[in-house]
């Protein structure tokens, strides 16, 4: 296979799958990882794909425009439901404090919250607060601030001031991108500031994210990968990504995996 043919095939695979690792591509096309990196560099320069840590994603995957909540809620919904179900194992005992970040996956986690224990729940999400306000076992604290229409999340100085004074047992955090190099990332600076404060105030950080976010790098990093204690994702995570993240000390939970 000529280099041009291989590069075209690589581009098609990356666009079709949404991402691909260097190791995966090297195996698929029976070339060295160095050759794959050269191919990805050429495709990146052409604007077809974007190189990220350990592989590549389609050029369109790196963007500054966020989908609104209704659009994101229907994207990979089955995987988000499975992640929410797996997250119930992380909820602490009665009397503990839980922080729920805004997002469509964390909203599903809120819907799955165990009702057999008394929990203090803090959130900046209007939809999550509305969902939990009628749950008798939950002592709900809604963070104030300016509400962003696109995410229905409270952000800004008022939100940050309260978070700066808190210490919670566990935080469930959403992210638009996750890589070892860029950490957890999101496109909006106000959202990033709130997420950064959430991670800082938590004793234990659980990232709830489907596998399409792994390998993506958005504009603003709000937390280093070392701040993550556990990642709940779906079974489509690549073996290479799973091994790399596990090697960094992160517990990987594959939602929907058969026992």
């Amino acid at each position: 296979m000529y280099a041009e043919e291989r590069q075209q095939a690589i581009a098609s695979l990356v666009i079709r799958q949404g991402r691909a690792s260097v190791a995966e591509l090297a195996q698929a096309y029976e070339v060295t990882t160095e050759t794959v990196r050269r191919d990805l560099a050429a495709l990146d320069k052409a604007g077809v794909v974007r190189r990220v840590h350990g592989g590549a994603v389609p050029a369109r995957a790196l963007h500054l425009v966020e989908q609104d909540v209704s659009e994101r809620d229907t994207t990979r919904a089955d995987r988000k439901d499975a992640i929410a179900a797996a997250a119930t194992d992380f909820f602490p005992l009665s009397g503990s404090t839980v922080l729920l970040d805004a997002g469509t996956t964390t909203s599903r986690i809120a819907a799955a919250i165990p009702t057999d224990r008394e929990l203090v729940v803090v959130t900046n999400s209007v939809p999550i607060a509305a969902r939990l306000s009628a749950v008798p076992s939950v002592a709900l604290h809604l963070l104030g601030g300016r509400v962003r229409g696109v995410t229905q999340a409270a952000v800004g100085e008022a939100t940050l001031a309260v978070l700066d004074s808190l210490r919670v047992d566990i935080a469930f955090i959403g992210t638009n991108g996750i890589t070892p190099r860029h950490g957890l990332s999101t496109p909006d600076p106000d959202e990033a500031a709130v997420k950064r404060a959430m991670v800082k105030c938590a004793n234990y950080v659980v990232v709830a994210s489907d596998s399409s976010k792994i390998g993506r790098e958005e504009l603003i990093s709000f937390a280093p990968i070392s701040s993550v204690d556990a990642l709940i994702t779906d079974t489509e995570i690549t073996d290479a990504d799973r091994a790399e993240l596990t090697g960094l000390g992160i517990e990987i939970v594959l939602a929907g995996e058969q026992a």
Side-chain angles (χ1 to χ4, degrees):
M1 181 181 290
Y2 293 109
E4 292 80 4
E5 295 175 312
R6 186 178 60 250
Q7 289 168 12
Q8 184 176 3
I10 287 173
S12 297
L13 187 148
V14 171
I15 291 169
R16 185 173 65 253
Q17 291 188 174
R19 66 184 311 276
S21 69
V22 170
E24 175 187 359
L25 293 170
Q27 182 176 9
Y29 299 104
E30 298 182 340
V31 293
T32 66
T33 55
E34 290 76 12
T35 297
V36 169
R37 290 189 179 94
R38 286 195 295 270
D39 287 340
L40 293 180
L43 292 168
D44 185 286
K45 186 176 181 180
V48 179
V49 305
R50 288 290 178 265
R51 296 175 68 187
V52 296
H53 182 79
V57 297
R60 68 177 186 275
L62 293 178
H63 53 79
L64 302 180
V65 178
E66 297 172 89
Q67 292 178 306
D68 64 26
V69 171
S70 60
E71 289 177 305
R72 288 185 290 116
D73 193 48
T74 57
T75 303
R76 300 173 72 88
D78 55 338
R79 294 164 179 81
K80 293 176 181 179
D81 288 336
I83 289 169
T88 60
D89 290 337
F90 284 86
F91 275 96
L93 300 175
S94 287
S96 300
T97 51
V98 176
L99 192 154
L100 287 171
D101 184 17
T104 54
T105 303
T106 48
S107 183
R108 284 171 163 79
I109 293 174
I113 194 168
T115 57
D116 60 348
R117 65 203 74 176
E118 303 287 330
L119 296 171
V120 175
V121 177
V122 181
T123 188
N124 69 325
S125 166
V126 174
I128 288 176
R131 184 184 293 274
L132 294 180
S133 61
V135 179
S137 60
V138 170
L140 178 66
H141 294 259
L142 175 59
L143 297 171
R146 175 178 64 86
V147 176
R148 292 188 72 223
V150 69
T151 58
Q152 297 178 31
V155 298
E157 292 302 321
T159 315
L160 295 174
V162 176
L163 285 169
D164 188 53
S165 68
L166 297 182
R167 173 62 65 182
V168 298
D169 293 307
I170 187 169
F172 293 91
I173 303 293
T175 186
N176 298 79
I178 176 170
T179 67
R181 179 179 63 180
H182 198 49
L184 308 179
S185 58
T186 196
D188 183 78
D190 291 330
E191 295 271 1
V194 170
K195 289 174 180 290
R196 185 177 297 115
M198 287 180 167
V199 170
K200 183 179 178 181
C201 77
N203 287 329
Y204 194 86
V205 175
V206 177
V207 173
S209 173
D210 69 78
S211 60
S212 70
K213 310 295 178 59
I214 301 170
R216 292 178 60 170
E217 295 182 338
E218 298 294 344
L219 180 65
I220 302 168
S221 174
F222 63 85
I225 200 71
S226 59
S227 66
V228 179
D229 294 294
L231 168 64
I232 308 175
T233 189
D234 58 68
T235 55
E236 291 185 12
I237 183 175
T238 67
D239 291 340
D241 284 334
R242 183 179 184 182
E244 183 173 29
L245 293 171
T246 300
L248 293 171
I250 299 172
E251 178 186 358
I252 307 296
V253 176
L254 301 186
E257 184 178 45
Q258 297 297 318

